[in-house]
């Protein structure tokens, strides 16, 4: 649905599915939808603080999340309560679907983190991806997931690369 549609809902639920089950569901504000890319904004939806070692997600953090209907990833810009950029957390997913007020995304385990200063670019959860068995059960999806991670890593290592996806 185009961003200028009068029928566009202003709020929706982001539903993250993993292994066939809902991992998390949280409310978000629809920022834009151009028919291919959907942007939403939501506060940190986790319970309390989650310290990954390379970044802490905590109450007050705001995520501006970008999902594509034709790409195998989501890019989440993370800012603290004061608006300072922490970095970008990228999920490797199947292409997103928007049905009514639900934005449904299937998480494929692989993730990428890029710090705000660009010094840290980390590939995450490759062990979980290998253990998921996706390479055996759906080799085409597994190949698309790895290609998406490679694409995001390449963008994350050049100045303005990830940002170019969000403009």
């Amino acid at each position: 649905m185009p961003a200028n549609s009068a029928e566009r809902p202003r709020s929706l639920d982001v539903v993250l599915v993993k292994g066939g089950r809902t991992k998390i569901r949280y409310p978000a504000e629809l920022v834009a939808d151009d028919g291919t890319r959907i942007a939403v904004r939501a506060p940190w939806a986790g319970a309390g603080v989650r310290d990954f070692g390379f970044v802490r997600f905590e109450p007050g953090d705001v995520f501006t999340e970008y999902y594509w209907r034709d790409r195998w990833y989501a890019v989440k810009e993370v800012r603290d309560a004061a608006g300072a950029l922490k970095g970008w957390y990228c999920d490797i997913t199947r292409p997103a679907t928007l049905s009514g007020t639900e934005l449904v995304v299937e998480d494929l385990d692989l993730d990428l983190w890029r710090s705000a200063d660009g010094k840290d670019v980390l590939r995450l959860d490759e062990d979980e991806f290998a253990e998921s068995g996706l390479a055996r059960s759906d080799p085409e999806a597994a190949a698309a997931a790895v290609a998406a991670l490679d694409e995001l890593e390449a963008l994350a290592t050049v100045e303005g690369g990830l940002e170019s996806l969000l403009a």
Side-chain angles (χ1 to χ4, degrees), residues 17-18 72 92-94 106-110 129 132 134 141 145:
V17 176
K18 189 170 181 178
W72 288 69
I92 303 305
T93 67
R94 291 184 189 269
E106 184 180 348
D107 185 350
L108 298 178
D109 294 309
L110 294 171
F129 179 73
S132 75
L134 188 65

Side-chain angles (χ1 to χ4, degrees), residues 32 34 36-39 64-68 70-77 88-92 112 114 148-167:
D34 67 7
T36 302
R37 187 184 73 184
I38 304 162
T64 303
E65 305 176 356
Y66 300 85
Y67 299 91
W68 285 264
D70 62 351
R71 297 186 189 184
W72 288 69
Y73 53 75
V75 178
K76 301 171 181 182
E77 180 183 88
W88 294 267
Y89 195 92
C90 307
D91 286 321
I92 303 305
L112 183 97
R114 179 180 180 256
L149 182 63
D150 291 343
E151 176 185 345
L152 286 172
E153 183 178 33
L155 287 167
T157 57
V158 297
E159 187 173 335
L162 280 180
E163 298 88 335
S164 69
L165 292 172
L166 315 180

Side-chain angles (χ1 to χ4, degrees), residues 54-55 76-80 83-89 113-121 156 158-160 162-163:
F54 52 87
V55 66
K76 301 171 181 182
E77 180 183 88
V78 184
R79 294 184 178 271
D80 69 16
L85 180 64
K86 289 185 173 187
W88 294 267
Y89 195 92
W113 169 256
R114 179 180 180 256
S115 60
D117 63 9
K119 292 181 181 176
D120 295 322
V121 176
V158 297
E159 187 173 335
L162 280 180
E163 298 88 335

